[in-house]
Amino acid sequence: LGGIERANAVIDELRISNIQRTDYEIANSAGTAQPDAIPPTVIITSPLTNPAYTTISTINLSGTASDASSGIMQINWSNAANSQTGTATGTTSWSAASIPLIVGTNLITVTAKDQAGNTSTDTITIIYDTIDPTITITSPTTNPASINTSTISVTGIASDNYGISEIRWYNNRGGNGIA
């Protein structure tokens, strides 16, 4: 008969999603995005020294990351010494707290991943040192030392499994310095 048929129906289920998408994801789904072949950048800014030394069993890292094309998706870290991995908090300004260390050398790699899947890395070596340095005074050889001058020369030997960076001296009269 060529007419329009109508049907009454009840909706069994209605789903509404609120998904936040980056500009790159929107352009990509619309087919207008240019391929992003440029990797992001990631920089570890703390600790400042590489290698860094610590006497505690965890380390906190922080840094920055950027990506001009599609934006940073995620920052991950991994410790090659103990196979531990994790995800940092933040993206363009990130931090990773309480990364577990093993005694000795820990090579930690931080990886930034952009929305297009490109990655880049930065690494830092953390030395977890649990052995105290040793120091021996070799002169004067008597203890206590008795002198008739206002100054005294003190010599000695110091050692550590990772080297000595500084030796300081102190006396009970308020004097101190770097040897």
Side-chain angles (χ1 to χ4, degrees), residues 160-173:
D160 184 73
N161 54 326
Y162 290 105
I164 301 292
S165 63
E166 181 177 88
I167 297 175
R168 292 188 169 265
W169 62 268
Y170 304 89
N171 69 30
N172 65 350
R173 307 265 183 193

Side-chain angles (χ1 to χ4, degrees), residues 4 7-8 37 63 85 92 94 108 110 118 130 141 143 165 178:
I4 298 175
N8 290 327
T85 62
T92 56
W94 56 266
I108 300 175
V110 174
N118 301 310
T130 59
T141 57
N143 186 7
S165 63
I178 298 174

Side-chain angles (χ1 to χ4, degrees), residues 22-90:
T22 65
D23 290 341
Y24 179 80
E25 291 172 315
I26 293 167
N28 192 37
S29 66
T32 60
Q34 297 298 316
D36 177 6
I38 301 170
T41 60
V42 62
I43 300 169
I44 299 168
T45 59
S46 178
L48 292 173
T49 60
N50 191 3
Y53 294 86
T54 185
T55 57
I56 58 175
S57 63
T58 62
I59 193 78
N60 297 331
L61 299 182
S62 61
T64 61
S66 63
D67 184 74
S69 300
S70 60
I72 300 296
M73 177 187 290
Q74 192 170 40
I75 308 292
N76 295 316
W77 60 265
S78 64
N79 184 347
N82 59 11
S83 301
Q84 296 288 311
T85 62
T87 301
T89 301

Side-chain angles (χ1 to χ4, degrees), residues 6-17:
R6 292 188 175 189
N8 290 327
V10 175
I11 298 173
D12 290 333
E13 183 176 342
L14 176 62
R15 293 183 187 187
I16 299 173
S17 298

